[in-house]
Structure formats: structure tokens, C-alpha cells
């Protein structure tokens, strides 16, 4: 018999005034009540055929048992809370542009909601090894090839073309993707003549591909966004970010009748990793925000 259980039986017996009442409340037999109290050792209760009362030792022991049981209940509550409340440090990896523009604002909201969590966010466009590098959660854009990961689909990562009103007033708005050849395009990535940049647009199931030209190229999309807002050309970037610029009146979508490139996006965790509350909570929150 567990000693804490025996203490609880003793306290209930003292509170209710009889073995029979304690047995009924605890749904055990009066004989089992007696065994629990006898297990505690010294004489704690004096019983007669008509009533029972605590001995002097019993009264002192009763007070101590109340303290011990209260502390045990508090410890159980803490353990339960740790099981249901996210806590601890979570290591996350994500692509640079999505991580900077969309994921980082989401993470600050997540941290505010769960104050017992900490997040180490690493942004990189290379294919990381989560087990080797210790990442618990990874966000990836593009087709998946790693079968050792548990993947949860998010909404596709869509790109749209935009320019500032000032640029369009001076240069006109392109009506087809081919007309971008006469525009200054702000190109993401550093491309070589052997592997030029390609922008793809879709309409009615048909794809049109162009090779954008322009005076500014960068491997940091934030630089291109700044240039687009400043009126230096047409950029092709993530819809989530550009939609905010459009709503604020800083940019205008061009070629709205065409769909830009779209790639699948997933949130992943290593298949062999134990699914802790912090991991499950973060994945669920990301799926709700970007699903």
C-alpha cells in the first residue's frame, strides 16, 4: 500500500468521524480503511463502539499529513501543467525571406501567448539536417524528398508581381508577362549568363516564362522590396508580404490576371523525435496561421 494513500485514508477518517464513513467516501471496505491506518504504525485513533477520537499523537500526525498531502497535490498540479502548457526552448529553422517577413512576426505573438517558451530561430536557404544540427521544427518551401521527416502541409508559397504607383505612372503597367522585357525588373538572387533568372506566369493552364532584366539584383529580398517601394522597378515576391504593401498603398499588383509561381510549403519535425507539448503546440499554431 502506498504511504500517501494511507495518509489520505487516515485524514478522511478523521474528518468524517468513522471508518464506515471514510470507506463509503473512498469506495473501499472498512477493513481496508483499518489496514491503511494500521500501516501508519502507532496508535492514531481511539475507537469505541459509539465514537472515535484522535490520540495526541494522532492530532499532530493529522496536521502533518494535511501539509504533506497538500504539497503532493501541488506537485501533481505542477507536473500536469508541464504536460499541457508549452515550456522550454524550441529550435526552429526556416528559409530567409519567409522567416524574416512572415514567420518572425508570428513567433513574437506565439511567445507572448506562451511565456514559458523560448525560441531559437535560424534562417537559412540551404537544406539543413535537423538531426545533425539539432533542429526540432523546420519550415521548407518546395518539393519534399526527406522521408525521415513528419510533414504537415501549409498553404502554398505564392509569388506576385508588384510595382509602385510612381513607377507605373512613369513607365506604364505591363498587360502581359512578355511586356516585362521593356521594364526594369528587381531580380532576387545572383544569376549567371549560363543560368539566367526565370519568372513564370500562368493563365488558363498555360505557362509563360520570361527572363527579367534590370539594374538591381540581390540575394536579400528586403533590399528589392525597398527598391520597389521607392519606384525603381517591378519585383516578384511573396504574396503574404506584398499584400500588406498593396493594402497600405505603397505598391500595386501588376499582371493581376496571371498567377505567379507557387510552391508547396510544409512544417516538419524529425520522425524519431518525441513529440513534446512545445513541439505540438508550435506546429499547431503555425498550421492555424499559415495553413
Amino acid at each position: 500500500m502506498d504511504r500517501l494513500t494511507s495518509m489520505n485514508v487516515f485524514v478522511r477518517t478523521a474528518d468524517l468521524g468513522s471508518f464506515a464513513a471514510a470507506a463509503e467516501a473512498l469506495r473501499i471496505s472498512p477493513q481496508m480503511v483499518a489496514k491503511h491506518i494500521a500501516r501508519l504504525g502507532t496508535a492514531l485513533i481511539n475507537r469505541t463502539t459509539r465514537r472515535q477520537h484522535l490520540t495526541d499523537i494522532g492530532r499532530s500526525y493529522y496536521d502533518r499529513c494535511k501539509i504533506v498531502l497538500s504539497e503532493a497535490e501541488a506537485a501533481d498540479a505542477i507536473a500536469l501543467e508541464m504536460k499541457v502548457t508549452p515550456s522550454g526552448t524550441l529550435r526552429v529553422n526556416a528559409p530567409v525571406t519567409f522567416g524574416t517577413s512572415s514567420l518572425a512576426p508570428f513567433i513574437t505573438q506565439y511567445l507572448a501567448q506562451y511565456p514559458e517558451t523560448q525560441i531559437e530561430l535560424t534562417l537559412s536557404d540551404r537544406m539543413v539536417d535537423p538531426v545533425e544540427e539539432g533542429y526540432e521544427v523546420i519550415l521548407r518551401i518546395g518539393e519534399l524528398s526527406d522521408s525521415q521527416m513528419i510533414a504537415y502541409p501549409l498553404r502554398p508559397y505564392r509569388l506576385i508581381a508588384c510595382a509602385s504607383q510612381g513607377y507605373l505612372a512613369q513607365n506604364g503597367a505591363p498587360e502581359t508577362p512578355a511586356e516585362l522585357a521593356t521594364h526594369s525588373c528587381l531580380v532576387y538572387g545572383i544569376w549567371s549568363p549560363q543560368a539566367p533568372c526565370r519568372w513564370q506566369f500562368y493563365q488558363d493552364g498555360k505557362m509563360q516564362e520570361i527572363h527579367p532584366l534590370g539594374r538591381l539584383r540581390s540575394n536579400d529580398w528586403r533590399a528589392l522590396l525597398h527598391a520597389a517601394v521607392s519606384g525603381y522597378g517591378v519585383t516578384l515576391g511573396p504574396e503574404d508580404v506584398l499584400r500588406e504593401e498593396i493594402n497600405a498603398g505603397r505598391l500595386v499588383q501588376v499582371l493581376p490576371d496571371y498567377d505567379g509561381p507557387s510552391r508547396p510549403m510544409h512544417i516538419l519535425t524529425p520522425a524519431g523525435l518525441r513529440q513534446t507539448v512545445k513541439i505540438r503546440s508550435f506546429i499547431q499554431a503555425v498550421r492555424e496561421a499559415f495553413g
Side-chain angles (χ1 to χ4, degrees):
M1 291 183 289
D2 179 77
R3 190 166 188 83
L4 282 177
T5 302
S6 297
M7 287 182 175
N8 183 57
V9 172
F10 166 66
V11 169
R12 294 299 296 274
T13 302
D15 288 341
L16 295 174
S18 73
F19 281 32
E24 183 178 356
L26 296 169
R27 297 185 178 181
I28 59 177
S29 67
Q31 292 78 14
M32 184 58 69
V33 171
K35 286 182 179 181
H36 275 290
I37 294 177
R39 180 183 184 277
L40 296 175
T42 189
L44 303 173
I45 298 177
N46 282 331
R47 300 176 67 203
T48 67
T49 56
R50 308 182 93 181
R51 61 188 296 270
Q52 71 176 34
H53 66 272
L54 297 178
T55 64
D56 290 341
I57 294 176
R59 280 191 290 272
S60 297
Y61 192 70
Y62 173 86
D63 293 336
R64 292 291 181 181
C65 283
K66 294 279 284 187
I67 294 172
V68 169
L69 292 172
S70 177
E71 289 296 324
E73 185 177 350
D76 287 343
I78 291 173
L80 180 61
E81 185 177 359
M82 290 177 64
K83 291 180 181 180
V84 299
T85 303
S87 62
T89 300
L90 184 68
R91 300 195 70 230
V92 180
N93 177 270
V96 175
T97 299
F98 174 76
T100 302
S101 59
S102 299
L103 187 62
F106 160 81
I107 283 179
T108 58
Q109 296 174 5
Y110 179 86
L111 291 173
Q113 183 176 357
Y114 298 106
E116 298 301 317
T117 60
Q118 302 88 42
I119 292 179
E120 294 181 4
L121 175 63
T122 302
L123 303 180
S124 172
D125 288 331
R126 66 179 178 85
M127 192 72 70
V128 300
D129 184 328
V131 177
E132 184 85 12
E133 301 178 51
Y135 292 113
E136 297 162 287
V137 175
I138 294 175
L139 287 102
R140 283 184 178 166
I141 297 171
E143 298 296 335
L144 298 179
S145 60
D146 192 343
S147 60
Q148 302 303 310
M149 303 286 287
I150 300 174
Y152 303 91
L154 304 175
R155 64 173 175 259
Y157 188 75
R158 294 187 174 92
L159 304 182
I160 60 175
C162 290
S164 71
Q165 294 185 10
Y167 174 86
L168 297 176
Q170 185 174 355
N171 299 276
E175 296 184 1
T176 66
E179 291 183 16
L180 287 174
T182 63
H183 284 264
S184 174
C185 295
L186 304 167
V187 181
Y188 178 74
I190 305 301
W191 307 90
S192 67
Q194 293 76 24
C197 176
R198 294 177 172 86
W199 284 3
Q200 295 174 340
F201 296 90
Y202 301 83
Q203 187 183 59
D204 299 328
K206 297 180 180 179
M207 187 266 286
Q208 297 184 44
E209 182 176 277
I210 67 151
H211 299 287
L213 300 175
R215 297 170 57 198
L216 176 60
R217 301 184 179 198
S218 176
N219 65 345
D220 188 332
W221 194 79
R222 291 170 298 181
L224 302 179
L225 176 61
H226 175 76
V229 171
S230 299
Y232 281 87
V234 179
T235 189
L236 184 70
E239 182 179 22
D240 284 353
V241 180
L242 290 175
R243 190 62 61 192
E244 295 180 9
E245 300 296 326
I246 292 171
N247 292 339
R250 290 185 288 269
L251 291 176
V252 177
Q253 182 177 358
V254 300
L255 302 174
D257 295 331
Y258 293 82
D259 295 323
S262 177
R263 288 181 287 172
M265 185 166 64
H266 295 81
I267 183 168
L268 309 98
T269 187
L273 188 66
R274 186 170 68 90
Q275 293 287 305
T276 60
V277 172
K278 66 178 180 180
I279 293 175
R280 294 198 306 269
S281 169
F282 186 79
I283 289 176
Q284 180 62 31
V286 168
R287 295 178 70 185
E288 291 175 359
F290 302 103

